[in-house]
Amino acid sequence: MKVIHRAERAKVFNEDEKRVDWHDETLWFVRHKRDIATHGILEWGQLREAGSQIKNHTLSNLNQYLQDFEKNAIANVAVIHWAADAKEHNDIVLELLKKNQITDMVKSKSMLKEKCHLNPFLEKNGIGVIDSDLGERIVQLAGESPSHIVLPCIHKKKEEIGELFHIHLGTPKGNADPQLLTEAARQSLRDTFLTRRAALTGVNFAVAETGEFVVCTNEGNADMGAHLADIHIASMGIEKLIPKRKHLGIFLRLLTRSATGQPITTYSSHFAKPATGKELHIILVDNGRTRQLSRPDFRNSLKCIRCSACFNTCPVYLRSGGHSYESVISGPIGSILSPNWDMKEHADLPFASSLCGSCSNVCPVKIDIHEQL
Amino acid sequence: MASGKAKTEKIMTSREKILAAVKESQPELTPLPNLDLFYQNIDTPEQNLTNFISIVERIGAKVYQVQDYPQVMNQLKEDFDLAGKRVVSAVRELDAMVDEYKGSNNHELADVELMILPTHFAVAENGACWVNDELYQERLLPFIPQHLAFILKKENIVPTLHQAYELIADKSYGFGAFIAGPSKTADIEQSLVLGAHCPRSLRIFVMNLSF
C-alpha cells in the first residue's frame, strides 16, 4: 500500500498558489486580531499562567475530579456514560437514539465526535445527521472534513460554497454573496432544529464542583439544537474538566481572544440540569487520553482548550492547509495529539514544523508545543 | 491467581477502567494557583458603563439608556415595524404592553419577531449579559426570536468575568448563559454576517432607575 505523506498532500494544496496566499493572509489576519485582543488585557501573562496551572493541577487530580463531576452531574439529574474508545462512544449514542426511536438528529461542533467518526457510523445505522455549525454544514455538503477546528471551511472559496448551496439549498446559480448564502443556511437549518428530537453537542469546559458544562458558539447552533430537542447528548474528553465554576472566568477570558480576537463568543451556555420533561446525557470519553496522560513528555497536550491560535500562527499550517495533516485536529497541536492516537498513520506529522516556537508563544495555556514536536 | 485476575479485568466497566488508568497515569499533585490579583479591579460604575457600551457596539449590538419601561417600548416601535408581528416578553413590568410567554411547547416560539427579556447583570470587558432559568423557565427564549432586546439595570455591570463568576459562584441553576451581541458567523471567507441561527440584532436597554 502506498502511504501518502503529509508533504505530498501539502503539494496538492499548493497547486493553486493564489488560494494558498489567501489562506495564509486570512489566517494571519485572525492571528493579528488575536494580538490586538490580548494586548488589551494588561494581566494577559498572568491569565495564561493561571490557565496553565489550573490545567496542570486538574490533570494531577483528575481521578478525583472525574468522580466529583459524575456525582454532581447525577445529582443534577443528568445521565453519565463512560466510553473507553470511539466504538463504545458511538454505540452509546446509537443506543440512546434507538431507545427513543429517533432516526434524525442535529449536531453542533465536536472535534471528539469527528475523531470518533460518529457521522458515518450513524449513517450506516440508518440515522440521519445534520451538522448545524455553518462551516461544518458546508464541509458536510461537500463530502469533506473540516480543515480547521474553529473555522472548518477556511480552505473553501465563496464561489465553491455558492455552487454547493445552489445544488443543495436552491440558491441562485453563480451567487456567492456570504450574506445570501448564510441566510439560505439559516432558513434550511431552522427547519432542522424544529424537527429533530435529539441534539448532540461537544463540551468546551466541564466543572467538577457543580456537574455543569459549558458550550461556546457564535452562531447559537448548539443552543437551538439542545433547547428544541427532547434529548441532549454531550460528549467530552475526560481532560475537559476544571475544578471550580469560578475558573471559567479564567478560561472564557482566554479562549475566544486567542481564537478569533473576540472578547468572548456570542453564546457561552452553561448546562447543568435537563429542562422539565427532557433528558441530558453526558458521555465521558477516554479514547487514548489516559495513554497521553501517562507520558510525562506529552501529557501537556491534554491542557489544550482547542482555541486554534497555534494553527493561525504556524508558517507550515498557513501554507499547507488543514487537510494535508489528514487528521481531525491538524496544525501544531494536532501534530502532537494525532501520533498518540495512531503512531503509524500520523508518523510524519511532527515534522510539519519549522520549530520556530510561535505556537508555544501564543498558546493560552502555555503548552510547550514546539518542544514536544 | 492469574485466571482470577483476568476474570476481574474482564468484568471491569469502562468507568472503572478509565478511573484506574487515570489514577495510574496522573502526575504528582500540583497546587491550584492563587487568583487574588484578578479580583483587584478599581473601575467605577461609570467606567464600567462606558467600557460596556464601547464593547457592545463593537460586537454588533446597540445600547439605549432609558429611564422607564414606556421609553423601551417607544424606542422598539421606532426601530421596528411590528404591525402583525409577534412580540413576546418575560419582563413583568411590560405585562400590560406585551404578551408574556406562558406556553409549554417551545416550538410555538418559532414565529417570534421580537423578544424582550430581563438580565441579571452584564460584563464590561466583553459586552456579555448573564441570564439563567431563574429569570424565565423556558431556556429557548433568547435564542429563537428574529430580534432580541435585553433590559439591564445600570448598576448591574461588573468589570470582568472574574467579578461575574463571584456573583454566581453559589447559585443553583439548570441553565445559564452569557450572551454577547447578536448571533454571528464568519465561516464564509471570514466575511462577518449577523444573524446566523439566532437573533439578527440585539438591543440592550440600560435602565437608570435612580431618577
Side-chain angles (χ1 to χ4, degrees):
Chain A
M1 198 183 82
K2 186 174 177 276
V3 179
I4 301 179
H5 292 291
R6 202 207 69 89
E8 287 174 45
R9 292 190 296 264
K11 257 186 219 157
V12 178
F13 183 73
N14 271 270
E15 277 165 11
D16 184 347
E17 204 174 316
K18 264 197 189 149
R19 180 188 299 245
V20 178
D21 287 344
W22 183 87
H23 188 264
D24 185 2
E25 283 160 22
T26 306
L27 287 173
W28 186 253
F29 181 63
V30 179
R31 154 78 213 259
H32 179 64
K33 287 195 288 187
R34 172 250 170 224
D35 290 347
I36 295 170
T38 60
H39 294 163
I41 305 290
L42 295 177
E43 66 276 27
W44 185 253
Q46 288 102 316
L47 264 181
R48 284 177 75 209
E49 186 58 38
S52 170
Q53 285 185 31
I54 293 169
K55 282 284 181 181
N56 283 336
H57 164 81
T58 311
L59 291 175
S60 77
N61 196 29
L62 191 58
N63 175 280
Q64 186 60 48
Y65 285 134
L66 281 166
Q67 295 180 69
D68 291 349
F69 177 76
E70 179 189 41
K71 189 183 88 201
N72 292 321
I74 290 172
N76 288 337
V77 211
V79 183
I80 296 285
H81 308 262
W82 299 77
D85 52 28
K87 184 184 177 304
E88 191 172 13
H89 168 266
N90 293 351
D91 287 342
I92 291 168
V93 174
L94 181 63
E95 193 169 319
L96 283 170
L97 297 173
K98 274 187 168 165
K99 206 172 85 186
N100 292 280
Q101 288 121 38
I102 290 170
T103 53
D104 289 284
M105 49 131 228
V106 62
K107 174 170 146 280
S108 70
K109 212 189 270 174
S110 160
M111 287 307 117
L112 184 150
K113 290 182 168 114
E114 199 72 42
K115 180 72 213 157
C116 290
H117 302 293
L118 180 70
N119 285 19
F121 169 81
L122 288 178
E123 276 155 16
K124 218 170 59 197
N125 283 280
I127 309 277
V129 187
I130 290 188
D131 282 316
S132 60
D133 173 83
L134 178 60
E136 290 214 325
R137 183 69 184 133
I138 290 166
V139 294
Q140 186 183 33
L141 289 174
E144 298 174 3
S145 56
S147 66
H148 186 288
I149 56 171
V150 172
L151 316 164
C153 68
I154 193 68
H155 61 288
K156 281 200 123 41
K157 300 298 292 173
K158 62 183 179 194
E159 289 76 19
E160 296 168 289
I161 299 166
E163 183 57 24
L164 208 57
F165 277 25
H166 170 65
I167 296 166
H168 294 278
L169 302 178
T171 54
K173 191 163 177 64
N175 197 319
D177 173 24
Q179 184 89 38
L180 177 135
L181 298 176
T182 303
E183 182 64 31
R186 175 184 170 100
Q187 303 294 346
S188 146
L189 282 162
R190 203 151 249 259
D191 180 58
T192 304
F193 290 128
L194 286 163
T195 50
R196 297 305 184 271
R197 287 170 47 224
L200 273 67
T201 71
V203 167
N204 288 91
F205 304 99
V207 182
E209 172 191 49
T210 58
E212 76 195 302
F213 62 88
V214 175
V215 183
C216 305
T217 74
N218 279 321
E219 299 180 14
N221 56 312
D223 287 280
M224 284 293 274
H227 303 312
L228 280 162
D230 300 332
I231 300 170
H232 175 183
I233 305 171
S235 303
M236 57 176 273
I238 52 174
E239 85 286 13
K240 288 282 178 281
L241 280 177
I242 56 174
K244 291 174 186 300
R245 184 183 277 164
K246 72 171 181 186
H247 294 145
L248 288 168
I250 301 282
F251 291 105
L252 292 185
R253 292 189 83 192
L254 287 168
L255 177 64
T256 321
R257 288 186 174 96
S258 300
T260 60
Q262 294 169 259
I264 191 168
T265 46
T266 304
Y267 304 103
S268 308
S269 296
H270 299 48
F271 293 88
K273 300 170 190 168
T276 313
K278 301 196 172 187
E279 290 178 28
L280 177 59
H281 296 266
I282 304 168
I283 311 179
L284 294 163
V285 183
D286 180 345
N287 204 22
R289 288 166 175 83
T290 51
R291 190 168 59 230
Q292 193 82 331
L293 186 63
S294 71
R295 297 173 170 167
D297 290 343
F298 296 106
R299 66 166 63 107
N300 257 345
S301 58
L302 292 172
K303 292 158 70 179
C304 175
I305 58 172
R306 307 287 191 266
C307 72
S308 78
C310 61
F311 291 53
N312 305 339
T313 198
C314 175
V316 178
Y317 176 87
L318 292 179
R319 296 204 66 85
S320 53
H323 284 156
S324 70
Y325 293 74
E326 217 160 70
S327 168
V328 171
I329 299 183
S330 54
I333 191 70
S335 296
I336 309 171
L337 291 170
S338 304
N340 170 56
W341 285 317
D342 189 333
M343 183 60 97
K344 270 188 199 142
E345 194 187 335
H346 301 300
D348 62 345
L349 289 195
F351 298 98
S353 169
S354 66
L355 300 181
C356 70
S358 184
C359 46
S360 304
N361 285 333
V362 296
C363 178
V365 288
K366 299 182 96 167
I367 302 172
D368 49 345
I369 305 173
H370 75 292
E371 281 167 29
Q372 297 204 12
L373 285 172
Chain B
M1 214 167 71
S3 62
K5 196 185 168 216
K7 216 173 177 183
T8 328
E9 275 171 9
K10 220 176 180 181
I11 55 164
M12 258 175 107
T13 62
S14 289
R15 176 186 185 277
E16 289 160 346
K17 267 191 271 180
I18 294 169
L19 285 174
V22 168
K23 197 166 193 182
E24 179 80 6
S25 313
Q26 67 191 23
E28 203 173 310
L29 188 67
T30 63
L32 272 172
N34 181 315
L35 304 178
D36 288 351
L37 83 104
F38 300 112
Y39 297 91
Q40 297 157 6
N41 192 297
I42 48 160
D43 286 353
T44 63
E46 281 307 323
Q47 278 169 309
N48 288 338
L49 178 64
T50 310
N51 294 343
F52 177 72
I53 292 173
S54 105
I55 297 283
V56 162
E57 283 170 356
R58 217 187 306 160
I59 58 177
K62 216 169 176 179
V63 170
Y64 292 112
Q65 297 195 61
V66 293
Q67 319 290 333
D68 56 28
Y69 288 95
Q71 228 181 319
V72 173
M73 287 315 296
N74 289 341
Q75 186 63 54
L76 288 172
K77 280 177 193 155
E78 203 171 293
D79 288 0
F80 294 102
D81 178 11
L82 294 170
K85 302 272 174 66
R86 187 169 172 207
V87 183
V88 171
S89 147
V91 181
R92 215 177 328 118
E93 290 83 350
L94 291 175
D95 274 1
M97 293 171 264
V98 191
D99 280 350
E100 194 188 336
Y101 178 68
K102 291 198 177 98
S104 56
N105 173 7
N106 61 15
H107 286 62
E108 294 162 5
L109 291 163
D111 64 345
V112 173
E113 179 72 10
L114 173 65
M115 180 79 69
I116 311 166
L117 298 175
T119 60
H120 283 291
F121 61 85
V123 187
E125 70 160 331
N126 57 29
C129 294
W130 172 255
V131 296
N132 70 22
D133 50 10
E134 190 184 84
L135 288 169
Y136 36 83
Q137 242 201 336
E138 177 49 63
R139 302 168 181 195
L140 188 65
L141 295 189
F143 300 101
I144 200 165
Q146 298 295 326
H147 300 277
L148 179 63
F150 274 156
I151 310 283
L152 171 69
K153 291 193 181 120
K154 189 185 167 187
E155 63 272 24
N156 292 346
I157 303 175
V158 297
T160 74
L161 273 179
H162 305 297
Q163 287 82 17
Y165 278 104
E166 270 189 314
L167 292 178
I168 55 175
D170 303 316
K171 293 268 190 274
S172 169
Y173 48 75
F175 175 79
F178 284 108
I179 298 181
S183 150
K184 57 175 78 72
T185 180
D187 274 344
I188 302 176
E189 280 197 11
Q190 280 294 288
S191 303
L192 179 68
V193 178
L194 300 184
H197 301 294
C198 292
R200 301 169 189 274
S201 72
L202 171 64
R203 283 165 176 69
I204 302 171
F205 290 90
V206 178
M207 283 265 190
N208 189 352
L209 295 169
S210 55
F211 280 84

